Amino acid sequence: MLTMINAKGYAAQTSTTNLAPWNFERREVGPADVQFDILYCGVCHSDLHQIKNEWFPGIFPMVPGHEIVGKVVKVGKDVTKFRAGDLAAVGCLVDSCRTCDNCKEGLEQYCLNGSVQTYNGLSKDGTPTYGGYSNTIVVHQDFVLTVSKKLSLPAVAPLLCAGITTYSPLRYWKVGKGHKLAVLGLGGLGHMAVKFGVAFGAEVTVLSTSAPKEEAAKKLGAHKFVLTSDPKQIKDAKRSFDFILDTVSAPHDLKLYLSLLKTNGTHIMVGISPEPSPVHAFDLMGGRKSLAASGIGGLPETQEMLDYCAEHNIASDIEMIDIKNIHQAYDRMLKGDVRYRFVIDMATL
Ligand code: NAP
Ligand code: ZN
Ligand code: ZN
């Protein structure tokens, strides 16, 4: 007999209703599953895009949240990596085929047969997935990450999305010593990009629409700051960067930012605006520039990033919130008023 686990969380019932308390069921712990109680969950701008159907029609009711950390309460009989009482984490993925070329390379986020997202996705049995704005979660051990006790646990949560999404492209393009890296947008992803860029040895410039973030950018380790609304500062930054890591969540003028790249420079998009931003061939041609994009990260690289952070004492700068204030947090996130990631204290659920 299949029993289910009673769970509670915050869900949007439709794309036009606010999140509110909701009871639902999770599958019982299977032989290879890990169940952990969620202690903290980061608030990603993707949560807001998805509950509002800004990218594509979502699956409702929707329990968002894919920056999840907690404590293991139960493991299946085949689980070797975890025991009850261990810290554990889950990011944006909870399953993939494991057999395609991309999965075999540890690029589960690009699974050729479709990976399963932590929420707003469908499990292989066709049931919807529900995310981390909830009290407990059951996930196959292959998609559960190990967390070091060295770092503050709430500040680790955002690493599961904001961390890996910025770490992965910086590693792929081997950004480091001798490179001039611009981080476009200083929010959740942007502040992690600054920390990693600095740790990897690049000269890091923040490109921001928010003048008051200059001091904070420098505190995060950025070497320079460019206020993008100031034509003089933009003029001085022309043709100066090897890489731009673009974390902007809204439509923006790519022509302007591409003009800041050096010859052979690369503009890497990780922000996902609801509407596309047009690019003309000329914007790339004048200097053989590349426009690229990168999605989250695979499981091996996510573990590598968590271990790197523990070793180098890197975590997110967070503001802890009560889950009841989630909509105030979203409103502030939309205004760019977050330093630099909201994290829900799940004890408030
Ligand atoms: P966030 O905390 O809201 O940060 C976005 C930042 O972009 C803002 O703080 C603001 O920085 C800047 N910005 C916002 N609107 C802008 C505009 N119209 N023009 C120029 N700059 C603007 O969001 P986040 O959680 O970091 O997520 C950023 C984006 O990445 C979202 O679209 C999210 O869905 C996406 N994302 C993608 C992946 C992936 O796999 N590729 C993973 C996670 C998230 P300033 O105040 O400094 O200008
Ligand atoms: Zn995210
Ligand atoms: Zn696959």
Side-chain angles (χ1 to χ4, degrees):
M1 256 265 300
L2 207 63
T3 52
M4 300 292 276
I5 294 169
N6 291 321
K8 60 177 181 172
Y10 259 48
Q13 296 297 324
T14 73
S15 65
T16 54
T17 49
N18 276 356
L19 295 174
W22 186 57
N23 294 323
F24 62 103
E25 291 182 328
R26 294 206 184 267
R27 69 168 184 263
E28 184 47 275
V29 178
D33 285 340
V34 175
Q35 180 189 2
F36 65 92
D37 283 350
I38 298 169
L39 297 175
Y40 304 102
C41 183
V43 177
C44 180
H45 206 117
S46 304
D47 301 345
L48 189 52
H49 288 310
Q50 292 185 83
I51 58 169
K52 298 287 174 216
N53 272 355
E54 287 181 353
W55 291 336
F56 44 76
I59 302 165
F60 291 89
M62 190 187 298
V63 178
H66 57 205
E67 294 183 337
I68 309 170
V69 293
K71 203 166 251 186
V72 175
V73 290
K74 194 171 173 187
V75 298
K77 67 174 174 50
D78 299 338
V79 172
T80 50
K81 258 171 45 183
F82 295 92
R83 281 189 308 194
D86 287 350
L87 295 179
V90 163
C92 305
L93 301 174
V94 288
D95 210 354
S96 73
C97 82
R98 320 277 214 282
T99 55
C100 74
D101 287 349
N102 286 350
C103 280
K104 279 196 264 180
E105 258 191 73
L107 297 170
E108 294 89 351
Q109 77 275 34
Y110 306 131
C111 174
L112 300 172
N113 296 305
S115 50
V116 181
Q117 307 293 306
T118 302
Y119 69 88
N120 198 17
L122 291 177
S123 309
K124 284 181 188 152
D125 65 4
T127 55
T129 56
Y130 300 118
Y133 295 12
S134 61
N135 64 332
T136 195
I137 193 163
V138 178
V139 178
H140 190 286
Q141 64 172 339
D142 292 353
F143 287 79
V144 183
L145 287 310
T146 300
V147 175
S148 157
K149 286 192 182 124
K150 273 198 209 160
L151 298 171
S152 151
L153 193 60
V156 166
L159 301 178
L160 277 300
C161 177
I164 184 60
T165 303
T166 49
Y167 182 94
S168 182
L170 295 178
R171 284 304 198 206
Y172 177 77
W173 274 279
K174 300 187 168 51
V175 177
K177 251 191 170 43
H179 287 137
K180 294 193 177 186
L181 165 69
V183 174
L184 176 52
L186 194 61
L189 268 58
H191 95 290
M192 288 312 307
V194 170
K195 291 188 184 208
F196 288 133
V198 170
F200 300 165
E203 182 188 290
V204 179
T205 301
V206 169
L207 307 176
S208 175
T209 60
S210 311
K213 289 184 184 171
E214 175 160 8
E215 208 188 308
K218 300 267 169 74
K219 272 202 196 119
L220 288 168
H223 304 95
K224 294 180 180 168
F225 183 90
V226 171
L227 183 63
T228 52
S229 56
D230 179 347
K232 163 88 172 65
Q233 293 189 38
I234 283 287
K235 190 164 168 262
D236 292 345
K238 291 272 172 190
R239 292 186 164 271
S240 62
F241 303 114
D242 298 289
F243 297 96
I244 297 175
L245 192 64
D246 178 347
T247 75
V248 175
S249 51
H252 52 294
D253 181 9
L254 284 180
K255 183 185 173 72
L256 170 75
Y257 299 113
L258 287 167
S259 74
L260 307 184
L261 283 176
K262 284 188 198 169
T263 302
N264 298 325
T266 303
H267 183 111
I268 307 159
M269 305 194 77
V270 287
I272 313 170
S273 159
E275 295 89 34
S277 305
V279 182
H280 199 286
F282 282 129
D283 304 332
L284 297 165
M285 215 176 281
R288 195 167 50 196
K289 295 168 185 176
S290 302
L291 179 61
S294 180
I296 48 173
L299 271 293
E301 195 174 39
T302 305
Q303 189 63 61
E304 175 193 306
M305 178 272 313
L306 287 170
D307 296 345
Y308 180 89
C309 286
E311 194 183 328
H312 294 85
N313 200 26
I314 294 173
S316 188
D317 290 16
I318 65 157
E319 183 175 334
M320 193 101 85
I321 60 162
D322 183 314
I323 195 161
K324 286 169 208 70
N325 298 329
I326 184 68
H327 283 280
Q328 281 155 260
Y330 286 151
D331 289 344
R332 283 183 51 197
M333 186 159 73
L334 276 175
K335 288 190 214 131
D337 173 24
V338 43
R339 306 288 173 91
Y340 280 91
R341 196 57 139 190
F342 291 114
V343 170
I344 303 166
D345 179 355
M346 217 45 75
T348 62
L349 183 65

